[in-house]
Amino acid sequence: MNQKLDELYTHVLPALESKKNEFHLYGYTVVTEKGLWDYLVQKKWRRKDISNMRPYEIVQDLFKLSPAQFMTYTQTEAQRNSSAFPELSEEERAILFSPRKSN
């Protein structure tokens, strides 16, 4: 992470811990603060300039996150990074797991 992202992460860490604890209450005990942060950076904000986001925007997006959204992301990432499809080339794998483009 770059310095600005590190600062934002540190600033919103209490909210990340709160969300992690919420997920743990629902039985999702493998969820971590870092995992939640990675979801936000790589999925939710992949097309945003994160360095200009305000802490309240980050916390708002975090608190809107449902366990289903997060678990879908983690499962997709696990499949994307696994060798579950050895017959596919890297290009085919990228197409298979890339987000759909809206028309």
Side-chain angles (χ1 to χ4, degrees):
M1 286 191 281
N2 67 35
Q3 185 176 357
K4 179 66 175 172
L5 284 181
D6 286 340
E7 290 173 15
L8 285 172
Y9 176 83
T10 302
H11 194 71
V12 299
L13 188 56
L16 290 163
E17 289 172 356
S18 175
K19 193 64 171 182
K20 176 197 75 171
N21 291 336
E22 176 189 332
F23 278 31
H24 284 197
L25 286 174
Y26 292 133
Y28 299 100
T29 56
V30 297
V31 176
T32 64
E33 294 89 351
K34 177 76 168 83
L36 292 167
W37 183 254
D38 288 344
Y39 166 83
L40 292 171
V41 171
Q42 295 173 8
K43 176 74 174 166
K44 182 76 176 171
W45 306 324
R46 72 178 174 268
R47 293 192 175 120
K48 283 188 175 184
D49 181 9
I50 302 165
S51 62
N52 290 327
M53 290 181 71
R54 304 273 189 227
Y56 76 86
E57 294 173 302
I58 294 169
V59 172
Q60 181 180 19
D61 284 345
L62 176 64
F63 284 163
K64 284 192 223 175
L65 177 61
S66 73
Q69 291 170 313
F70 181 74
M71 297 311 290
T72 298
Y73 163 77
T74 57
Q75 290 172 350
T76 302
E77 287 301 304
Q79 290 175 351
R80 179 188 316 238
N81 297 324
S82 78
S83 58
F85 303 101
E87 67 278 1
L88 296 179
S89 69
E90 286 300 315
E91 182 179 341
E92 292 169 324
R93 192 181 313 251
I95 292 169
L96 177 64
F97 290 108
S98 66
R100 296 184 100 198
K101 295 180 181 166
S102 58
N103 295 329

